């Protein structure tokens, strides 16, 4: 049900998370070993900048960050696959497969992800965030923020985790994080080589690849991201499926 690289990552993240939160100073801190949401067996990985909420919202932080590895661990150990059953007795949060239902505002990042994936696969239902079946979503920066507050990301622990085999196992990797990572970091973390760039104001596309994968590094996909950019990314990647 789950590939070995994902099981290994979850085990690693649970151990590291437990050690991290054993320190009382970290009790209400974002989890550097947050894994992500969606379908871990998908062929597409999308890595954004960071989760877009206030880190002082402790309930949301608990569901979406602190306990993320433990929730995945529960599904693996109990052989539970994709579902839409609430993991907690929560008002809105569902689970790591479908964190929320019907949360697709026009400028919201998830709406852009849906549109991009629909250009690749076509005919994905828009209701109940069905696009989560077609990709795995995570973030470069593990610290949530309503507004991006950094230009480069260099947290060693997080970058070391992103270097895990699981994050390299996707046919298509989309780094929708702008310049958070430098060229050398991208090449080293994802085992790809720079190929070429397509330059357009505020919509640059940097292409990396190896014999089995294509990686697209572009801007954060939200707000004023044009449909033309999403179509171009889809055109560049869909032949890898």
């Amino acid at each position: 049900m789950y590939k070995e690289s994902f099981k290994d990552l979850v085990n690693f993240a649970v151990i590291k998370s437990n050690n991290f939160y054993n320190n009382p100073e970290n009790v209400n801190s974002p989890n550097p070993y947050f894994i992500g949401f969606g379908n871990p067996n998908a062929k597409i990985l999308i890595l954004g900048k960071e989760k877009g909420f206030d880190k002082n919202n402790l309930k949301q932080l608990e569901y979406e960050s602190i306990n993320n590895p433990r929730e995945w661990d529960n599904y693996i150990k109990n052989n539970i696959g994709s579902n839409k059953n609430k993991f907690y007795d929560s008002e809105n949060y569902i689970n790591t497969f479908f964190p929320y239902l019907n949360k697709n505002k026009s400028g919201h990042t998830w709406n852009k992800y849906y549109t991009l994936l629909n250009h690749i696969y076509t005919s994905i239902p828009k209701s109940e965030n069905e696009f989560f079946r077609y990709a795995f979503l995570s973030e470069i920066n593990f610290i949530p923020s309503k507004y991006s507050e950094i230009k480069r990301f260099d947290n060693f622990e997080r970058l070391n985790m992103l270097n895990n085999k699981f994050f390299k196992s996707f046919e298509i990797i989309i780094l929708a994080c702008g310049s958070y990572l430098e060229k050398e970091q991208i090449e080293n973390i994802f085992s790809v080589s720079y190929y070429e760039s397509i330059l357009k104001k505020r919509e640059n596309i940097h292409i990396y690849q190896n014999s089995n994968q294509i990686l697209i590094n572009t801007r954060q996909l939200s707000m004023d991201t044009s449909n033309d950019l999403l179509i171009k990314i889809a055109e560049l990647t869909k032949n890898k499926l």
Side-chain angles (χ1 to χ4, degrees):
M1 182 177 293
Y2 296 99
K3 50 191 175 184
E4 289 303 315
S5 62
F6 186 65
K7 293 179 182 179
D8 291 343
L9 173 63
V10 170
N11 184 61
F12 168 85
V14 168
I15 292 171
K16 286 288 191 177
S17 297
N18 289 340
N19 291 338
F20 181 75
Y21 289 110
N22 280 339
N23 183 342
E25 294 182 1
N26 294 332
V27 170
N28 291 322
S29 298
N31 191 346
Y33 309 100
F34 150 80
I35 297 171
F37 301 99
N39 180 2
N41 294 319
K43 296 182 178 182
I44 299 176
L45 169 67
I46 303 177
L47 291 170
K49 284 187 169 182
E50 60 267 314
K51 296 289 292 179
F53 66 88
D54 187 342
K55 65 182 180 181
N56 294 313
N57 182 337
L58 296 183
K59 270 298 179 186
Q60 192 168 4
L61 188 71
E62 176 188 356
Y63 300 152
E64 295 192 35
S65 176
I66 294 173
N67 286 336
N68 181 261
R70 297 188 190 114
E71 186 178 342
W72 280 118
D73 190 49
N74 172 76
Y75 295 137
I76 290 172
K77 287 181 176 177
N78 291 289
N79 203 33
I80 298 172
S82 179
N83 66 82
K84 294 183 179 179
N85 301 320
K86 283 193 174 184
F87 188 73
Y88 302 98
D89 183 18
S90 57
E91 182 178 357
N92 296 307
Y93 177 79
I94 307 300
N95 59 41
T96 53
F97 301 105
F98 296 91
Y100 297 94
L101 304 181
N102 302 314
K103 188 182 179 183
N104 259 349
K105 297 179 181 178
S106 60
H108 193 280
T109 297
W110 286 1
N111 187 62
K112 302 300 181 181
Y113 290 173
Y114 161 78
T115 303
L116 170 61
L117 292 168
N118 199 45
H119 285 317
I120 295 173
Y121 285 104
T122 70
S123 302
I124 299 176
K126 194 169 186 178
S127 62
E128 297 192 338
N129 286 327
E130 280 292 308
F131 74 91
F132 276 98
R133 296 189 189 276
Y134 296 83
F136 192 80
L137 276 56
S138 191
E139 312 291 339
I140 299 297
N141 184 7
F142 64 93
I143 301 175
S145 176
K146 287 189 174 182
Y147 306 99
S148 298
E149 298 176 348
I150 61 174
K151 292 185 177 180
R152 300 281 184 186
F153 185 76
D154 59 1
N155 180 277
F156 175 80
E157 285 297 320
R158 184 64 178 172
L159 293 177
N160 182 55
M161 179 168 164
L162 292 173
N163 199 30
N164 185 277
K165 287 182 180 179
F166 171 71
F167 293 110
K168 305 173 194 275
S169 67
F170 295 82
E171 283 89 341
I172 297 169
I173 301 172
I174 298 170
L175 296 184
C177 61
S179 59
Y180 267 25
L181 299 180
E182 297 180 346
K183 173 178 174 287
E184 292 76 15
Q185 288 178 303
I186 293 172
E187 290 182 321
N188 291 334
I189 291 171
F190 298 100
S191 301
V192 292
S193 298
Y194 172 76
Y195 178 64
E196 66 176 347
S197 294
I198 301 172
L199 303 180
K200 183 179 179 181
K201 186 177 180 180
R202 300 200 70 240
E203 294 191 346
N204 292 338
I205 295 174
H206 305 289
I207 304 169
Y208 297 75
Q209 59 186 21
N210 59 35
S211 59
N212 301 312
Q213 298 166 298
I214 184 168
L215 182 151
I216 301 293
N217 177 214
T218 191
R219 58 164 289 173
Q220 182 181 23
L221 302 182
S222 63
M223 302 305 292
D224 60 342
T225 302
S226 73
N227 193 47
D228 287 345
L229 175 62
L230 302 178
I231 291 172
K232 185 62 178 178
I233 294 172
E235 290 174 347
L236 289 167
T237 57
K238 64 171 60 178
N239 65 347
K240 282 290 183 180
L241 296 175

